[in-house]
Amino acid sequence: MRAAVARARMAQPAWNELGVERRIAILREFQRRLHDRKTEVARVITREAGKPLGEALLTEVLVVLDAARFCIENARTFLRQQPVPHGNLAMKTKVGRILRQPYGVVGIISPWNYPFSIPATETLGALVTGNGVVLKPSEFTSLVALELATLLYQAGVPQDVLQVVVGDGSTGAALVNAEIDKLVFTGSVATGKRIAQAAAARLLPVILELGGKDPMLVLDDADVEVASSGAVWGAFMNAGQACLSVERCYVHRSLYEQFVEACVRKTKQLRVGNGLDPETDVGPMIHERQLRIVESQVEAAVASGARVLVGGSRLTALGPNFYAPTVLVDLTHDMKIIGEETFGPVLPIMAFDDDDGAVRLANDSDYGLGASVWTRNRARGEAVARRIQAGTVMVNDCVSCFGISEALHGGVKASGLGRTHGHFGLEEMVRVKYVDIDLLGRMKKSWWYGYGEKFIRQMEGVIDLMFAPKWGQRLRGALLTAGTFRLKRKL
Ligand code: NAD
């Protein structure tokens, strides 16, 4: 890992000097190659992560093609130096600029649930802004990451500028401790906290994209047919292993019975199986450890009085990692299935009595990644969205904001720090630097040494000129300033 970071550090200055136009051209070539190989890449993702092929195309390949489009369209303007007009009269003889310069080497540690779209969107943003990248993908999806690197190499990214180092958590820890300039971590809260501690010791800037427990709020005027279909998709897509998946569903009491019935009916229709089969809706979970977390949360809820209306068990006939899409009711807010991230195919549903109560339930969580509000009244949906503590709130849809390249992605509370995606994601990949140029470089400044009565009167004049409440005072300030102002010529 140390050698990989050292190679990236050596190669990065030339990559930055190549200029944004050339880097954009390389991203265009990457986009063209990915488009050509879309189905092969999707098959690699499905074989390694298990998700249905259609989802691999929608939530991985399409998302990455669009992230490349975003970088191609925006990087040039984003990296342009930005003038900073000065409002302070005393500083009017200066011009300021903001420069956006790459950090140097960005380390990226990614999870298995979106093994292509997560590392790719972060890598593209880092590369187009002139950084070198060392990527440590999840040990469960190394092949997908290598596929990403191959496409980028073929498009023209030099091998030392982007390196993939495969391995488990200890390899990730080695990346955190290597000489990187910034770290983008996506994964669990527990690992995120460990990384934050290690990063604090050397003030390494980090982005932490961590877990979620996203609430779905179905208000009393929602369309039950639409919202129940949204809930079933939001809870079970990628077998529930999405950071933005619907993990808790709150429904207005007047719609509760009808909504639960629709969710149960639609869940029973889902086809669980091999992701490579085009008819499959829900694939396997990533590994048995993840399945056991889901199983134990469901068992604990049932032991405390929850009812399973559909699912609630493994589907061993299909393979070792299959868990049936599950709808749970009769829950209380102190249950683990409501408080902790489940990250599996479970839809827990509870009733609420009014909007205030729904917002209270939504915010009663350690997490704050995403949320959704379902209503026929857009203004009401937006008003409720403003009150929810989350990085993203969608009205009348869920999860899909991850596919909007212009939207930012990231959480509040235990869901993390910093943002990826969109303009804010690019902003995280650069150091902003302020450069100031004095237009009267041959003159000594009036505020340099030479203090005394005159200087004090002059300063009072300048302050009055700029901030006195009455125009008369300002005029007097101007005269005082002019009367005492003496430009000291450079010797
Ligand atoms: P994880 O934390 O177990 O692993 C994530 C990555 O960190 C892997 O590459 C792993 O090898 C590495 N890692 C493990 N220990 C490490 C250490 N001590 N130092 C450095 N790296 C280490 O998470 P996971 O099981 O791969 O992913 C699932 C989690 O990711 C869920 O909690 C999910 O919500 C979260 N997630 C968040 C987002 C988001 O954008 N907020 C997106 C996807 C997934």
Side-chain angles (χ1 to χ4, degrees):
M1 186 58 90
R2 273 201 299 273
V5 172
R7 280 196 298 273
R9 184 166 295 291
M10 289 285 287
Q12 183 268 332
W15 175 247
N16 185 35
E17 277 154 31
L18 202 59
V20 67
E21 292 301 334
R22 185 72 198 109
R23 293 196 296 271
I24 285 174
I26 290 174
L27 255 57
R28 259 203 201 97
E29 181 59 18
F30 163 77
Q31 200 187 31
R32 194 188 63 73
R33 285 170 183 269
L34 175 57
H35 173 258
D36 283 355
R37 299 204 53 238
K38 55 186 177 296
T39 310
E40 286 112 296
V41 172
R43 289 179 77 82
V44 174
I45 296 167
T46 293
R47 277 205 296 271
E48 205 172 30
K51 65 187 67 190
L53 198 56
E55 274 184 24
L57 283 164
L58 170 76
T59 64
E60 306 257 22
V61 175
L62 174 57
V63 167
V64 176
L65 285 168
D66 199 57
R69 182 219 24 101
F70 178 82
C71 290
I72 290 165
E73 286 178 2
N74 292 285
R76 190 180 299 111
T77 320
F78 174 74
L79 289 174
R80 209 172 274 157
Q81 67 179 19
Q82 189 182 324
V84 182
H86 300 331
N88 185 343
L89 277 184
M91 300 288 152
K92 279 290 187 193
T93 62
K94 297 168 179 302
V95 289
R97 315 190 197 299
I98 289 172
L99 307 184
R100 289 183 167 77
Q101 297 180 320
Y103 267 96
V105 179
V106 174
I108 298 176
I109 300 179
S110 55
W112 44 262
N113 65 330
Y114 286 93
F116 193 64
S117 56
I118 290 177
T121 46
E122 294 164 0
T123 299
L124 293 177
L127 288 177
V128 82
T129 46
N131 294 284
V133 172
V134 177
L135 166 64
K136 205 303 282 174
S138 167
E139 56 273 39
F140 300 103
T141 50
S142 306
L143 292 178
V144 176
L146 294 171
E147 191 72 26
L148 168 67
T150 304
L151 281 164
L152 284 164
Y153 295 150
Q154 288 169 346
V157 175
Q159 300 231 348
D160 284 353
V161 167
L162 164 67
Q163 293 170 73
V164 178
V165 182
V166 300
D168 61 12
S170 59
T171 313
L175 179 56
V176 180
N177 291 317
E179 283 299 303
I180 52 174
D181 301 292
K182 177 131 191 181
L183 180 74
V184 186
F185 171 78
T186 310
S188 62
V189 175
T191 312
K193 284 182 177 169
R194 268 198 295 277
I195 286 178
Q197 271 175 351
R202 49 185 276 232
L203 293 181
L204 173 70
V206 287
I207 299 175
L208 300 173
E209 292 283 9
L210 309 179
K213 189 73 193 171
D214 291 9
M216 168 171 182
L217 276 56
V218 183
L219 307 189
D220 59 7
D221 65 345
D223 182 319
V224 170
E225 263 313 291
V226 171
S228 57
S229 293
V232 168
W233 180 74
F236 303 137
M237 54 94 64
N238 204 23
Q241 304 164 118
C243 53
L244 289 167
S245 57
V246 172
E247 289 247 339
R248 311 175 271 152
C249 187
Y250 303 108
V251 187
H252 190 269
R253 206 170 291 284
S254 63
L255 306 178
Y256 181 77
E257 296 279 322
Q258 201 188 344
F259 181 86
V260 169
E261 182 280 317
C263 287
V264 170
R265 175 168 38 87
K266 290 171 187 180
T267 302
K268 283 182 178 160
Q269 287 163 7
L270 294 175
R271 297 155 300 183
V272 183
N274 184 341
L276 290 173
D277 178 345
E279 302 300 317
T280 292
D281 295 310
V282 181
M285 300 193 63
I286 190 77
H287 46 50
E288 230 233 326
R289 186 156 45 86
Q290 191 57 41
L291 191 147
R292 279 203 302 271
I293 295 172
V294 175
E295 206 169 43
S296 76
Q297 286 190 8
V298 172
E299 281 167 8
V302 170
S304 307
R307 260 187 318 135
V308 172
L309 298 184
V310 53
S313 58
R314 295 182 186 221
L315 297 171
T316 37
L318 292 175
N321 297 341
F322 286 90
Y323 194 83
T326 299
V327 177
L328 277 181
V329 292
D330 295 348
L331 302 146
T332 55
H333 232 241
D334 55 356
M335 290 178 177
K336 270 190 180 177
I337 201 97
I338 294 292
E340 292 181 11
E341 189 180 42
T342 307
F343 224 55
V346 181
L347 175 60
I349 309 176
M350 294 181 76
F352 66 82
D353 292 307
D354 55 29
D355 290 6
D356 286 351
V359 170
R360 248 193 326 273
L361 290 169
N363 290 342
D364 178 20
S365 172
D366 293 339
Y367 295 93
L369 190 59
S372 62
V373 183
W374 301 71
T375 167
R376 283 193 171 93
N377 180 338
R378 269 187 273 162
R380 185 177 169 201
E382 215 178 314
V384 172
R386 283 172 197 272
R387 299 169 61 195
I388 296 178
Q389 296 160 357
T392 305
V393 186
M394 297 193 81
V395 177
N396 291 330
D397 198 4
C398 52
V399 188
S400 63
C401 51
F402 195 78
I404 303 168
S405 299
E406 285 73 10
L408 54 85
H409 177 66
V412 300
K413 302 201 273 190
S415 293
L417 304 172
R419 296 292 181 262
T420 56
H421 289 208
H423 183 88
F424 290 94
L426 289 182
E427 210 60 272
E428 297 267 13
M429 295 298 173
V430 292
R431 287 193 169 106
V432 280
K433 180 188 282 182
Y434 178 68
V435 175
D436 194 277
I437 298 150
D438 195 282
L439 299 176
L440 303 176
R442 291 175 59 81
M443 277 184 188
K444 290 184 181 175
K445 309 301 168 234
S446 59
W447 53 86
W448 292 353
Y449 280 132
Y451 297 164
E453 277 298 320
K454 197 180 266 183
F455 179 77
I456 288 171
R457 276 201 302 283
Q458 183 189 329
M459 285 303 113
E460 286 169 349
V462 169
I463 290 170
D464 280 352
L465 171 61
M466 289 174 69
F467 298 106
K470 295 194 175 129
W471 286 111
Q473 286 173 299
R474 291 201 179 198
L475 187 62
R476 208 169 55 89
L479 294 174
L480 200 61
T481 308
T484 56
F485 206 91
R486 186 166 56 84
L487 294 176
K488 301 171 192 167
R489 287 223 159 262
K490 203 175 174 187
L491 291 175

